[in-house]
Amino acid sequence: MPEATAKEFSVSEEARLLLDTTVSDRRIAHLLEKADSMSRSLADSRGFVWAAIGIDSTPCDMGCTFCSQAARWDVYKTAPPLTAETIVEKAGQLADGGADFVVLRTTQHYPLDALQRLGRLTRDRIGSDIHLVINTGEMGSDDIRALRDSGFTMSYHVVRLREGVDTGHSVDMRLRTIENVLKGGLELQYLIEPLGPEHSPEEILVEARRAREVGASGTGVMARVPIMGTPLARYGQVSDAYLKRVAALARLEYPDGGRHLCVHPPTPATLRCGANTIIVEQAANPRDTSSSASPWRGFDLPGARAVLREAGLEVRQARAEA
């Protein structure tokens, strides 16, 4: 899988307009509408909820400059890892409530054998009709096969913006894991992230187009949330208006696949520009300074489903409604 670089990508007129902050919203309204129409057609006007459980807050030694859980910034209040029983209970509640994806998110070095056990237990609880997603550190081929055999069907893994500069990983490391994921039989969700005000159009385009190159099942964009005490907090956060534009770009650069187009943090306006998938998350979170029993920023599963419906998107029937 070749490494893509910004200089290999020409910027289309559509991309130039969307990513140019001197261009008014009126001038790009037709592109947002175009992206929205494409996503609704690809996904049959479905909306999707990505429900993530942060299962541990172990201080991480990779030193990513945007992550609250990096040990070197000392900003995260660590807590004991969730027990298997708690994780399975939370996953079951999400599945019963109408989530389309149940995601187990860990820090970099979470033990594989523990993930295998959690996969089996969680799959037994949520049933076979929901994606069980792993979001963890780098994985070899054998690791992927073990996770697949344990009930996982999808991985979240990306080359982050400014990988190797703002992170303790290299692009090659991330691409090797992505290749292992795809060869090992798991689907891949791939977002442009963690998007900040300092990222150039060329950098954004590299990752927007990589989602299509690797054949990801889903694409989208995630804004970086500034955490005080981390080095990148000084840049702040992109506006919702810009987040909409990058979400639309993700669809226009991946017009023939990736039916799940995720945007995070979610706002109702972002669901009229190509995005059809939103995230709810709980427990340990690299976008916060402590683990919480309640949903991040109070945005829960019923709220996510309501926002999708308000945008004219159909949602999965909750088991409680069946």
Short mmCIF file of all heavy atoms in Angstrom, two decimals, residues 157-202:
data_model
loop_
_atom_site.label_atom_id
_atom_site.label_comp_id
_atom_site.label_asym_id
_atom_site.label_seq_id
_atom_site.Cartn_x
_atom_site.Cartn_y
_atom_site.Cartn_z
N HIS A 157 -9.24 2.71 11.97
CA HIS A 157 -7.80 2.95 11.95
C HIS A 157 -7.51 3.89 10.79
O HIS A 157 -8.01 3.68 9.68
CB HIS A 157 -7.03 1.64 11.77
CG HIS A 157 -5.71 1.62 12.49
ND1 HIS A 157 -5.60 1.37 13.83
CD2 HIS A 157 -4.44 1.85 12.05
CE1 HIS A 157 -4.33 1.42 14.19
NE2 HIS A 157 -3.62 1.73 13.13
N VAL A 158 -6.73 4.92 11.04
CA VAL A 158 -6.47 5.93 10.01
C VAL A 158 -5.02 6.38 10.08
O VAL A 158 -4.33 6.16 11.08
CB VAL A 158 -7.39 7.16 10.18
CG1 VAL A 158 -8.85 6.77 10.27
CG2 VAL A 158 -6.99 8.00 11.39
N VAL A 159 -4.59 7.04 9.02
CA VAL A 159 -3.38 7.86 9.08
C VAL A 159 -3.83 9.24 9.50
O VAL A 159 -4.57 9.91 8.78
CB VAL A 159 -2.67 7.92 7.71
CG1 VAL A 159 -1.46 8.86 7.78
CG2 VAL A 159 -2.24 6.53 7.26
N ARG A 160 -3.43 9.65 10.70
CA ARG A 160 -3.87 10.95 11.20
C ARG A 160 -3.20 12.09 10.44
O ARG A 160 -2.11 11.92 9.88
CB ARG A 160 -3.57 11.08 12.70
CG ARG A 160 -4.58 10.45 13.63
CD ARG A 160 -4.36 8.96 13.79
NE ARG A 160 -3.06 8.64 14.30
CZ ARG A 160 -2.77 8.50 15.61
NH1 ARG A 160 -3.71 8.65 16.51
NH2 ARG A 160 -1.55 8.16 15.99
N LEU A 161 -3.85 13.22 10.44
CA LEU A 161 -3.24 14.41 9.86
C LEU A 161 -1.93 14.72 10.60
O LEU A 161 -1.88 14.70 11.83
CB LEU A 161 -4.20 15.59 9.96
CG LEU A 161 -5.44 15.49 9.06
CD1 LEU A 161 -6.53 16.44 9.54
CD2 LEU A 161 -5.08 15.77 7.61
N ARG A 162 -0.87 14.96 9.83
CA ARG A 162 0.47 15.20 10.35
C ARG A 162 0.97 14.04 11.21
O ARG A 162 1.62 14.23 12.25
CB ARG A 162 0.54 16.54 11.09
CG ARG A 162 0.20 17.71 10.16
CD ARG A 162 0.53 19.07 10.72
NE ARG A 162 0.11 20.10 9.74
CZ ARG A 162 0.18 21.41 9.94
NH1 ARG A 162 0.67 21.88 11.08
NH2 ARG A 162 -0.21 22.25 9.01
N GLU A 163 0.66 12.84 10.72
CA GLU A 163 1.17 11.63 11.37
C GLU A 163 2.69 11.66 11.37
O GLU A 163 3.34 11.98 10.38
CB GLU A 163 0.68 10.39 10.61
CG GLU A 163 0.86 9.09 11.36
CD GLU A 163 -0.21 8.89 12.43
OE1 GLU A 163 -1.35 8.54 12.06
OE2 GLU A 163 0.10 9.08 13.62
N GLY A 164 3.28 11.32 12.51
CA GLY A 164 4.72 11.33 12.63
C GLY A 164 5.29 12.67 13.03
O GLY A 164 6.46 12.76 13.44
N VAL A 165 4.48 13.72 12.93
CA VAL A 165 4.88 15.06 13.40
C VAL A 165 4.15 15.37 14.70
O VAL A 165 4.78 15.72 15.71
CB VAL A 165 4.56 16.13 12.33
CG1 VAL A 165 4.87 17.53 12.86
CG2 VAL A 165 5.33 15.85 11.05
N ASP A 166 2.84 15.21 14.68
CA ASP A 166 2.02 15.44 15.87
C ASP A 166 1.73 14.16 16.63
O ASP A 166 0.98 14.19 17.61
CB ASP A 166 0.70 16.10 15.47
CG ASP A 166 0.88 17.54 15.01
OD1 ASP A 166 1.90 18.16 15.39
OD2 ASP A 166 0.03 18.04 14.26
N THR A 167 2.28 13.06 16.18
CA THR A 167 2.03 11.76 16.83
C THR A 167 3.34 11.02 17.05
O THR A 167 4.36 11.35 16.47
CB THR A 167 1.11 10.87 15.96
OG1 THR A 167 1.88 10.34 14.87
CG2 THR A 167 -0.07 11.64 15.42
N GLY A 168 3.27 9.97 17.85
CA GLY A 168 4.41 9.12 18.07
C GLY A 168 4.46 7.93 17.13
O GLY A 168 5.27 7.02 17.31
N HIS A 169 3.59 7.93 16.12
CA HIS A 169 3.55 6.87 15.12
C HIS A 169 4.16 7.37 13.82
O HIS A 169 4.39 8.57 13.66
CB HIS A 169 2.10 6.45 14.84
CG HIS A 169 1.35 6.00 16.06
ND1 HIS A 169 0.92 6.88 17.04
CD2 HIS A 169 0.92 4.77 16.44
CE1 HIS A 169 0.28 6.20 17.99
NE2 HIS A 169 0.26 4.93 17.64
N SER A 170 4.36 6.47 12.89
CA SER A 170 4.76 6.85 11.55
C SER A 170 3.63 6.52 10.59
O SER A 170 2.76 5.69 10.89
CB SER A 170 6.03 6.12 11.12
OG SER A 170 5.77 4.74 10.92
N VAL A 171 3.65 7.15 9.41
CA VAL A 171 2.66 6.81 8.39
C VAL A 171 2.77 5.34 8.03
O VAL A 171 1.76 4.65 7.87
CB VAL A 171 2.87 7.70 7.15
CG1 VAL A 171 1.96 7.25 6.00
CG2 VAL A 171 2.60 9.16 7.49
N ASP A 172 3.99 4.84 7.90
CA ASP A 172 4.18 3.43 7.54
C ASP A 172 3.55 2.49 8.57
O ASP A 172 2.94 1.48 8.21
CB ASP A 172 5.66 3.11 7.39
CG ASP A 172 6.25 3.63 6.10
OD1 ASP A 172 5.47 3.99 5.19
OD2 ASP A 172 7.49 3.71 5.99
N MET A 173 3.70 2.81 9.85
CA MET A 173 3.08 1.99 10.91
C MET A 173 1.58 1.90 10.71
O MET A 173 0.98 0.83 10.77
CB MET A 173 3.37 2.58 12.29
CG MET A 173 4.79 2.43 12.79
SD MET A 173 5.06 3.43 14.29
CE MET A 173 3.93 2.66 15.45
N ARG A 174 0.97 3.05 10.49
CA ARG A 174 -0.47 3.09 10.36
C ARG A 174 -0.94 2.36 9.10
O ARG A 174 -1.94 1.65 9.11
CB ARG A 174 -0.96 4.54 10.35
CG ARG A 174 -0.51 5.36 11.56
CD ARG A 174 -1.13 4.90 12.84
NE ARG A 174 -2.52 5.30 12.98
CZ ARG A 174 -3.26 5.09 14.07
NH1 ARG A 174 -2.76 4.44 15.10
NH2 ARG A 174 -4.51 5.49 14.11
N LEU A 175 -0.20 2.54 8.00
CA LEU A 175 -0.58 1.87 6.76
C LEU A 175 -0.42 0.37 6.86
O LEU A 175 -1.21 -0.39 6.29
CB LEU A 175 0.26 2.42 5.61
CG LEU A 175 -0.09 3.81 5.11
CD1 LEU A 175 0.90 4.26 4.04
CD2 LEU A 175 -1.51 3.87 4.58
N ARG A 176 0.59 -0.10 7.58
CA ARG A 176 0.75 -1.55 7.74
C ARG A 176 -0.44 -2.14 8.48
O ARG A 176 -0.95 -3.20 8.10
CB ARG A 176 2.05 -1.86 8.51
CG ARG A 176 3.30 -1.83 7.65
CD ARG A 176 4.45 -2.53 8.35
NE ARG A 176 4.80 -1.89 9.62
CZ ARG A 176 5.67 -0.89 9.74
NH1 ARG A 176 6.27 -0.39 8.66
NH2 ARG A 176 5.96 -0.39 10.92
N THR A 177 -0.90 -1.46 9.52
CA THR A 177 -2.06 -1.97 10.25
C THR A 177 -3.31 -1.94 9.37
O THR A 177 -4.10 -2.89 9.36
CB THR A 177 -2.28 -1.16 11.54
OG1 THR A 177 -1.18 -1.39 12.42
CG2 THR A 177 -3.57 -1.58 12.23
N ILE A 178 -3.49 -0.86 8.62
CA ILE A 178 -4.65 -0.77 7.72
C ILE A 178 -4.61 -1.91 6.70
O ILE A 178 -5.64 -2.55 6.42
CB ILE A 178 -4.66 0.60 7.02
CG1 ILE A 178 -5.06 1.68 8.03
CG2 ILE A 178 -5.62 0.61 5.83
CD1 ILE A 178 -4.86 3.09 7.55
N GLU A 179 -3.45 -2.19 6.16
CA GLU A 179 -3.33 -3.30 5.22
C GLU A 179 -3.67 -4.62 5.89
O GLU A 179 -4.37 -5.48 5.32
CB GLU A 179 -1.92 -3.34 4.65
CG GLU A 179 -1.74 -4.36 3.54
CD GLU A 179 -0.41 -4.21 2.83
OE1 GLU A 179 0.50 -3.55 3.36
OE2 GLU A 179 -0.29 -4.77 1.73
N ASN A 180 -3.20 -4.81 7.13
CA ASN A 180 -3.52 -6.03 7.86
C ASN A 180 -5.02 -6.15 8.12
O ASN A 180 -5.60 -7.24 8.03
CB ASN A 180 -2.75 -6.06 9.19
CG ASN A 180 -1.26 -6.25 9.01
OD1 ASN A 180 -0.82 -6.83 8.01
ND2 ASN A 180 -0.47 -5.75 9.95
N VAL A 181 -5.64 -5.03 8.46
CA VAL A 181 -7.09 -5.02 8.71
C VAL A 181 -7.85 -5.50 7.48
O VAL A 181 -8.71 -6.39 7.57
CB VAL A 181 -7.55 -3.60 9.10
CG1 VAL A 181 -9.06 -3.46 8.98
CG2 VAL A 181 -7.10 -3.26 10.53
N LEU A 182 -7.53 -4.95 6.35
CA LEU A 182 -8.27 -5.27 5.12
C LEU A 182 -7.98 -6.69 4.64
O LEU A 182 -8.89 -7.42 4.23
CB LEU A 182 -7.94 -4.25 4.04
CG LEU A 182 -8.40 -2.82 4.37
CD1 LEU A 182 -7.78 -1.82 3.42
CD2 LEU A 182 -9.92 -2.73 4.34
N LYS A 183 -6.72 -7.10 4.70
CA LYS A 183 -6.38 -8.47 4.30
C LYS A 183 -6.94 -9.50 5.27
O LYS A 183 -7.22 -10.65 4.88
CB LYS A 183 -4.86 -8.62 4.19
CG LYS A 183 -4.27 -7.94 2.97
CD LYS A 183 -2.77 -8.22 2.87
CE LYS A 183 -2.19 -7.63 1.59
NZ LYS A 183 -0.72 -7.87 1.48
N GLY A 184 -7.10 -9.09 6.52
CA GLY A 184 -7.58 -10.02 7.55
C GLY A 184 -9.08 -10.17 7.59
O GLY A 184 -9.60 -10.94 8.41
N GLY A 185 -9.80 -9.45 6.73
CA GLY A 185 -11.24 -9.67 6.62
C GLY A 185 -12.11 -8.75 7.45
O GLY A 185 -13.32 -8.97 7.55
N LEU A 186 -11.52 -7.69 8.02
CA LEU A 186 -12.34 -6.70 8.71
C LEU A 186 -12.62 -5.53 7.78
O LEU A 186 -11.79 -5.17 6.95
CB LEU A 186 -11.63 -6.18 9.97
CG LEU A 186 -11.34 -7.16 11.10
CD1 LEU A 186 -10.74 -6.43 12.29
CD2 LEU A 186 -12.59 -7.94 11.51
N GLU A 187 -13.79 -4.94 7.92
CA GLU A 187 -14.06 -3.69 7.22
C GLU A 187 -13.32 -2.56 7.93
O GLU A 187 -12.87 -2.70 9.07
CB GLU A 187 -15.57 -3.42 7.18
CG GLU A 187 -16.34 -4.42 6.35
CD GLU A 187 -17.81 -4.07 6.22
OE1 GLU A 187 -18.11 -2.85 6.10
OE2 GLU A 187 -18.64 -4.98 6.27
N LEU A 188 -13.21 -1.43 7.23
CA LEU A 188 -12.45 -0.30 7.75
C LEU A 188 -13.27 0.97 7.71
O LEU A 188 -13.88 1.29 6.69
CB LEU A 188 -11.19 -0.11 6.90
CG LEU A 188 -10.29 1.08 7.28
CD1 LEU A 188 -9.50 0.76 8.56
CD2 LEU A 188 -9.33 1.41 6.14
N GLN A 189 -13.30 1.68 8.82
CA GLN A 189 -13.85 3.04 8.85
C GLN A 189 -12.68 4.01 8.89
O GLN A 189 -11.75 3.85 9.68
CB GLN A 189 -14.73 3.23 10.09
CG GLN A 189 -15.36 4.61 10.20
CD GLN A 189 -16.59 4.80 9.35
OE1 GLN A 189 -17.10 3.84 8.78
NE2 GLN A 189 -17.08 6.01 9.26
N TYR A 190 -12.72 5.04 8.01
CA TYR A 190 -11.56 5.91 7.81
C TYR A 190 -12.01 7.37 7.76
O TYR A 190 -12.69 7.78 6.81
CB TYR A 190 -10.84 5.55 6.51
CG TYR A 190 -9.47 6.15 6.39
CD1 TYR A 190 -8.35 5.38 6.64
CD2 TYR A 190 -9.29 7.48 6.04
CE1 TYR A 190 -7.07 5.93 6.55
CE2 TYR A 190 -8.03 8.04 5.94
CZ TYR A 190 -6.92 7.25 6.20
OH TYR A 190 -5.66 7.79 6.13
N LEU A 191 -11.66 8.14 8.78
CA LEU A 191 -12.02 9.56 8.82
C LEU A 191 -10.80 10.45 8.60
O LEU A 191 -9.67 10.04 8.88
CB LEU A 191 -12.66 9.93 10.16
CG LEU A 191 -13.89 9.15 10.62
CD1 LEU A 191 -14.51 9.83 11.83
CD2 LEU A 191 -14.91 8.98 9.52
N ILE A 192 -11.05 11.67 8.16
CA ILE A 192 -10.03 12.71 8.12
C ILE A 192 -9.96 13.28 9.54
O ILE A 192 -10.91 13.92 10.01
CB ILE A 192 -10.43 13.82 7.13
CG1 ILE A 192 -10.73 13.25 5.75
CG2 ILE A 192 -9.35 14.90 7.06
CD1 ILE A 192 -11.55 14.18 4.88
N GLU A 193 -8.87 13.06 10.23
CA GLU A 193 -8.80 13.50 11.62
C GLU A 193 -7.36 13.51 12.13
O GLU A 193 -6.50 12.86 11.54
CB GLU A 193 -9.70 12.61 12.50
CG GLU A 193 -9.28 11.14 12.52
CD GLU A 193 -8.69 10.70 13.85
OE1 GLU A 193 -8.10 11.55 14.57
OE2 GLU A 193 -8.80 9.52 14.16
N PRO A 194 -7.11 14.22 13.23
CA PRO A 194 -7.97 15.15 13.95
C PRO A 194 -7.85 16.54 13.33
O PRO A 194 -6.82 17.22 13.44
CB PRO A 194 -7.41 15.13 15.37
CG PRO A 194 -5.94 14.85 15.18
CD PRO A 194 -5.80 14.05 13.91
N LEU A 195 -8.88 16.98 12.65
CA LEU A 195 -8.85 18.20 11.86
C LEU A 195 -8.74 19.43 12.75
O LEU A 195 -9.53 19.63 13.66
CB LEU A 195 -10.13 18.28 11.02
CG LEU A 195 -10.27 19.53 10.15
CD1 LEU A 195 -9.24 19.52 9.03
CD2 LEU A 195 -11.69 19.61 9.59
N GLY A 196 -7.76 20.28 12.43
CA GLY A 196 -7.58 21.54 13.14
C GLY A 196 -7.50 22.70 12.18
O GLY A 196 -7.37 22.52 10.96
N PRO A 197 -7.54 23.92 12.69
CA PRO A 197 -7.49 25.10 11.82
C PRO A 197 -6.19 25.23 11.04
O PRO A 197 -6.16 25.92 10.02
CB PRO A 197 -7.64 26.27 12.82
CG PRO A 197 -8.27 25.68 14.03
CD PRO A 197 -7.76 24.27 14.10
N GLU A 198 -5.14 24.57 11.48
CA GLU A 198 -3.83 24.72 10.84
C GLU A 198 -3.61 23.80 9.65
O GLU A 198 -2.62 23.94 8.92
CB GLU A 198 -2.72 24.48 11.87
CG GLU A 198 -2.49 23.02 12.26
CD GLU A 198 -3.44 22.48 13.32
OE1 GLU A 198 -4.48 23.13 13.58
OE2 GLU A 198 -3.15 21.41 13.89
N HIS A 199 -4.50 22.86 9.40
CA HIS A 199 -4.28 21.89 8.33
C HIS A 199 -4.62 22.48 6.96
O HIS A 199 -5.65 23.12 6.78
CB HIS A 199 -5.08 20.62 8.59
CG HIS A 199 -4.62 19.88 9.80
ND1 HIS A 199 -5.44 19.58 10.86
CD2 HIS A 199 -3.39 19.42 10.14
CE1 HIS A 199 -4.75 18.95 11.79
NE2 HIS A 199 -3.50 18.85 11.38
N SER A 200 -3.74 22.24 6.01
CA SER A 200 -3.88 22.81 4.68
C SER A 200 -4.86 21.99 3.84
O SER A 200 -5.11 20.81 4.11
CB SER A 200 -2.53 22.83 3.98
OG SER A 200 -2.11 21.49 3.67
N PRO A 201 -5.39 22.59 2.77
CA PRO A 201 -6.25 21.83 1.86
C PRO A 201 -5.56 20.59 1.31
O PRO A 201 -6.18 19.53 1.17
CB PRO A 201 -6.56 22.84 0.75
CG PRO A 201 -6.51 24.17 1.44
CD PRO A 201 -5.39 24.03 2.43
N GLU A 202 -4.26 20.69 1.00
CA GLU A 202 -3.55 19.54 0.44
C GLU A 202 -3.46 18.41 1.46
O GLU A 202 -3.65 17.23 1.11
CB GLU A 202 -2.15 19.97 0.01
CG GLU A 202 -2.12 20.88 -1.21
CD GLU A 202 -2.48 22.32 -0.88
OE1 GLU A 202 -2.51 22.69 0.31
OE2 GLU A 202 -2.71 23.10 -1.83
#
